[in-house]
């Protein structure tokens, strides 16, 4: 069974928010921080660490 990555991330994110109930500001900071880091000069360094 092949599940698209976006669907898996959406499901994990939804369950995490429902079960752990983090504050809304923390969710916003994580999403915005990840978006900004992905488009920064640090992206190649982060990519090499993740692989």
């Amino acid at each position: 069974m092949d599940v698209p990555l976006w669907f898996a991330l959406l499901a994990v994110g939804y369950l995490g928010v429902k079960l752990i109930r983090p504050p809304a500001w923390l969710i916003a900071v994580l999403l915005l921080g990840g978006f900004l880091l992905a488009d920064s000069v640090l992206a190649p360094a982060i990519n090499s660490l993740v692989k």
Side-chain angles (χ1 to χ4, degrees):
M1 181 168 94
D2 292 328
V3 177
L5 179 62
W6 64 267
F7 184 74
L9 290 175
L10 185 69
V12 169
Y14 178 77
L15 289 174
V17 168
K18 286 294 182 186
L19 296 176
I20 299 172
R21 298 191 186 266
W25 65 265
L26 181 61
I27 295 170
V29 165
L30 289 175
L31 288 174
L32 185 61
F35 179 75
L36 292 175
L37 279 176
D39 197 31
S40 70
V41 295
L42 297 174
I46 295 170
N47 191 24
S48 66
L49 287 174
V50 173
K51 285 187 176 181

